[in-house]
Amino acid sequence: MSPTGLNNGNGSPAVEEPPALVSSMSQSSSLNAIRASLAALHIRDASVTSRLQAFISSQAELSRELGRLDLLRAHLGTQVVHTRDISNGMLDSAAGTASHLSSKVKELDLEKKRVEETLGVVEQVAELKACVQGVVGSMGAPQDWEAAAGYIARANKIPKHVIEGQFAARIVPSVEVPDAPGVTIENAKESLCVLFLREFEKAAEEGDGSKVTRFFKLFPLIGREETGLEVYGRYVCQGVAARARGSLREGTKGSAGKDGFFYANTLTRLFEHIAQIVEGHGGLVERHYGQGKMVKVIERLQVEADVQGGIILDIWGDERSVDRRLTDVKSYPFSFLVQSFMAPQRNLGISRTSSPAVGGGTNGRVSEDEGVDMKEIDGLLSETAVMLGRWALYSRFLGGKCRVSPPQAVLLQAISKLSQDAEKPEEPLEMPDLLVKSALSRKISGRLTTPFNVMTTFFFRRSVEKAFQLDEAPSGLSLNPSRPLEGNPPYIVSAVDDVMYIVNTVLQRSLSTSQREVVAHAIPTIGRVLGSDFVGMIQRKMRDECYPKPAIQGGFPPEDKIISFIILINSLDVANDYIARIVSSRLTPTEPTHGSKAPNPLHEMFPFDHDATFVAHALETLNVTFSHKTLELIAEGLNAMFKEVVKLRLRPVLSETFRDLDYTLTEEDLADIARENETDDDPETLNDLVARRFEHSWEALMKPIQRLMTPKCFTGLLDRTADHLAKMLEKRVWLFSGKMNALGAQRMERDFSGIIGVVARGGKYAVRDAFARVAQICMLVNMEDEEWDALIEEEQEGDEEMAWVLSEDERRRARALVRG
């Protein structure tokens, strides 16, 4: 066995002696075997020796490399020590030099700053001295007040510590002006302020507008802005008061004060005069006194508006006897409405002469109306609405003028985002505090808003009451199709048009005030009165006066009761449409003329805070609430019409339709019947007999109702009738079980399809859905066995496409109708 050789001299571990070699030596039984084992051992010894020599030689080379690395490390340590010595010797001096230079630069900067400050103080003191001398010189013989005020304005720009400093106290005083500069400037301000006040008041008394403007512009130059704004406010308020008193005097001279809108026009002129002052003089005030200073003048003007507006409202209230009218309105009994909802009286119709008023006449109402003149109330409400609307415009104008301007940084940021926020609506206005806390605002609320709300409630409810007092039903209506109808559809009571006109008028008048408090009261009041009085009156008439109940058991209701009941149902439907259109016209913006986006009228009328959203929600609530009440009552009325009028006649209609009908006849039987009747009609023509019979009876039943009812109401009645008719037809189909042959099944499907077609005639295709069960039963009866098996297979595989309305048992029962 040859030994394992070494691949390299890197000290691979020696291969251990194989156990077979040792065992062969001990087991040798001959000389030759011993010699062979000995030779193998010599070879093994030589191999191990050579490998050990190679390993020793490699260790010597590694020791030499390690010694070389130690030598290099010693050299590098020496170089590091030398480098540190050089760095410390060279950079320490450079750092010291840099620190010294930095301190010198700081000292120079400080000295430069002090020199500049000193020069600034010197220049300011020189400017102060020039201003003091200029003020004294201008106030002397020249009496150049503009120049003197200009010098003071320049002096006001100098810091106070400079004016009161010791340097200025030594430099500025002179022989002509020995006082300290601060004292001289203050004395000049006081003297000029007194002079300007005297000259301003003199010019105001003389009515010299140019001199008033001249001296008004000088007050901010001497630092007396508050004084200038105060005296200017007094000046413009004198003009406001004089014009307001003049307007009132004009009204007291003749009959102008009796005019319906005199006081509204007087209040309008007051607001317009103040608005003209603010608009015309605002630029002058802002230019000379600063941004936002016009608010001070507006506050002073509002104080005067409180006085003059309060006088106008007090005189108006006394002249129009508002308090007395409020007392009359609050005590009005509404006897007609109250008595109408009491226990029903017998033998009453729905005409005007049969209204449930006391005595059946109108004398009692005339005596009641004498206490409250509706025409005067209407005129008073119109005048009040005008004044409230003018107050809203005035508030909007002042709200825009008093709007706080944003800071410069915010303004620039807003401008930078202008392109991104181009579609963003303008931020709503906020009512300024000077208006919220003003005496005129409280006077408006107490003398205008509250009476307006009270009288609006009375006016609307009284109008509803009067509409039903004068209510008349359309005449010339009949259920006889051969008789022509008088008038034009829709056939409704006259109270609907009257009440809806009043709703539109009251709503428009309330919205025109642009007052949230008014709208918050008016719209819920309209909804409450419509729901309780208008809908309640119609409901009472439907229940007590014209319910279509047969006069005798099992009979047909009287024709006049049916017509009156239909008219009341139509009235509710038309009233619902009226309210929807009235509300929609206020919520939907009008279309622009040139294709641009039209503004929302509610946001135009209610610009403050979120008032427009509040008003829109109130209008939507009015529409939804009224619609819910009317639709509920319409549904009850249609149910009554179906139960008392239509349902009772459906059974005779079907009895006549299927009279003498036999679905067991063969083709020969049908031919024999045709010969016995001595007619040449084809048997196929005889198959249409059922549809023709039903059409004749159906038209006689539904056509008279259809031509009186509104389309929407008739559709509701037709749906109820179709549902019931479908159930009756389904029962009749099941009764034919075992009583028809294959030909009879085909005839039955044709007959029933004809009946469904008659009911759904006129575009009312959705009515066919009520007959889905009947149609599927007829289809299954006539279905071929192969087709039925295919349907069963599709159903088992889950690929069924038919939308069944019949259960599985009902389908199998339908298939067995013919075989049974």
Side-chain angles (χ1 to χ4, degrees), residues 364-422:
R365 308 307 306 165
V366 172
S367 62
E368 256 183 29
D369 288 342
E370 291 177 357
V372 182
D373 190 337
M374 287 290 289
K375 187 176 181 181
E376 292 182 359
I377 295 296
D378 185 36
L380 193 60
L381 284 172
S382 298
E383 186 178 19
T384 306
V386 171
M387 288 192 283
L388 287 173
R390 298 298 184 268
W391 168 252
L393 290 174
Y394 174 75
S395 301
R396 181 193 305 182
F397 174 77
L398 291 190
K401 292 298 180 181
C402 296
R403 189 196 291 262
V404 178
S405 299
Q408 187 69 18
V410 178
L411 184 61
L412 293 176
Q413 185 179 5
I415 294 175
S416 65
K417 294 182 179 180
L418 185 61
S419 59
Q420 302 176 3
D421 301 337

Side-chain angles (χ1 to χ4, degrees), residues 333-350:
F334 295 101
S335 301
F336 179 83
L337 290 177
V338 173
Q339 294 173 7
S340 297
F341 287 100
M342 293 174 65
Q345 303 177 21
R346 296 300 177 186
N347 300 325
L348 296 180
I350 64 170

